[in-house]
Amino acid sequence: MSVEQPAAFSKTEMMIVAAARELAGQHVCFVGVGLPNIAVNLAKRTVAPDMELVYEAGVFGARPARLPLSIGDPTIVTGATAVTSMFELFAFYLQGGLIDVGFLGAAQIDRFGNINTTVIGEYARPKTRLPGSGGACEIAINARQVFVIMRQSKRSFVERIDFRTSPGNLGGAETAARIRREQGWLGRGPSVVVTDLGIYHFDETGEMRLDSLHPGATLEQVREAMGWEPKLAAEVPTTPSPTAEELRLIREELDPGGAYTS
């Protein structure tokens, strides 16, 4: 009797699947563009079928028939619970404390989960000008939790980000908690960072900790792809590989053209 071999998968597919699984049990998720978009829509089809998707354009309870290409894609409003102005969405839903998870991408991130999506280099004379905040800063400070998905390298996992677009745990958990109270921020800050190498959560100091390595990834690769010495869990298991159904959903329903996974 032959034993079915596990399907081959790319590092990007592993990252998307791992990020989607982290959303199990979540109820309301504010979706960012890019990789967060496909990860959240995969979660909706697998581990979180009752999760409500919220898009910055003013859509609550989105049920897109296909993967939206941007927050302005008309498919987002199909079957939605509510379509509002951006002001109403941010003022009454996000700032009203109704968002469980904000799911973001990043160009740079530091050990405390502070995010840069504004510039690389000096702000006045940047080497690269990035898309900017959009709604990311508001999401980062007001969603109850923040999840991040991004590819990992020494250029993206840096000791000091070039610009703080979206605050994470600032300089540490104690400082962040004080400032959140003083400023009236509703969120608890970053909870999860998923990369193409592994899964990170945050410890009691507010610093990122490696809790899982993706299949084929090594601690040496992790260290080579970040600008600081990583904190490690007592045991760092291997992330379970994508299932055949998860890969089918990505390849046939969510991203058949490979816009995100190629």
Side-chain angles (χ1 to χ4, degrees):
M1 181 176 178
S2 63
V3 178
E4 184 178 351
Q5 296 299 313
F9 53 89
S10 69
K11 293 172 68 174
T12 300
E13 287 173 331
M14 180 71 259
M15 174 170 58
I16 291 167
V17 167
R21 291 170 180 168
E22 290 288 324
L23 286 164
Q26 300 295 342
H27 300 291
V28 183
C29 182
F30 207 125
V31 188
V33 297
L35 286 170
N37 198 0
I38 187 170
V40 170
N41 276 276
L42 178 61
K44 177 78 173 171
R45 288 162 170 79
T46 53
V47 298
D50 298 323
M51 184 170 61
E52 300 286 1
L53 308 186
V54 183
Y55 284 88
E56 186 178 335
V59 180
F60 184 92
R63 292 170 176 81
R66 58 171 172 77
L67 186 69
L69 299 176
S70 71
I71 60 167
D73 191 327
T75 194
I76 291 173
V77 304
T78 305
T81 302
V83 180
T84 71
S85 69
M86 291 179 69
F87 168 78
E88 290 172 314
L89 186 74
F90 277 80
F92 303 141
Y93 289 92
L94 182 59
Q95 294 174 356
L98 301 179
I99 305 299
D100 295 319
V101 176
F103 212 131
L104 303 174
Q108 287 182 330
I109 194 168
D110 66 16
R111 69 179 69 209
F112 295 114
N114 300 297
I115 290 173
N116 173 24
T117 55
T118 302
V119 294
I120 302 298
E122 295 182 12
Y123 181 80
R125 303 180 69 178
K127 297 176 183 177
T128 304
R129 189 168 293 281
L130 303 169
S133 172
C137 181
E138 289 290 329
I139 295 167
I141 64 178
N142 288 306
R144 292 190 181 98
Q145 300 181 69
V146 175
F147 289 13
V148 180
I149 180 171
M150 60 188 296
R151 294 179 177 88
Q152 186 174 338
S153 71
K154 274 202 168 171
R155 292 191 301 175
S156 59
F157 270 52
V158 295
E159 179 67 30
R160 182 181 178 86
I161 56 177
D162 293 337
F163 186 93
R164 190 166 64 206
T165 310
S166 304
N169 288 322
L170 300 171
E174 186 175 340
T175 299
R178 175 178 57 79
I179 291 178
R180 288 187 186 111
R181 288 194 303 269
E182 292 173 351
Q183 298 298 322
W185 297 350
L186 301 177
R188 299 194 299 270
S191 299
V192 181
V193 178
V194 179
T195 79
D196 50 349
L197 295 178
I199 302 173
Y200 300 81
H201 298 97
F202 290 81
D203 67 11
E204 65 281 357
T205 71
E207 185 174 338
M208 228 183 281
R209 179 191 64 229
L210 180 66
D211 283 344
S212 180
L213 272 173
H214 296 333
T218 66
L219 287 177
E220 182 181 1
Q221 289 175 318
V222 167
R223 290 188 170 98
E224 289 175 350
M226 61 198 312
W228 68 91
E229 179 62 25
K231 284 191 173 181
L232 307 176
E235 294 185 8
V236 182
T238 300
T239 311
S241 299
T243 66
E245 176 62 9
E246 288 169 330
L247 292 174
R248 186 195 69 78
L249 286 167
I250 292 172
R251 295 170 181 177
E252 297 181 16
E253 293 189 19
L254 293 174
D255 192 23
Y260 293 89
T261 55
S262 60

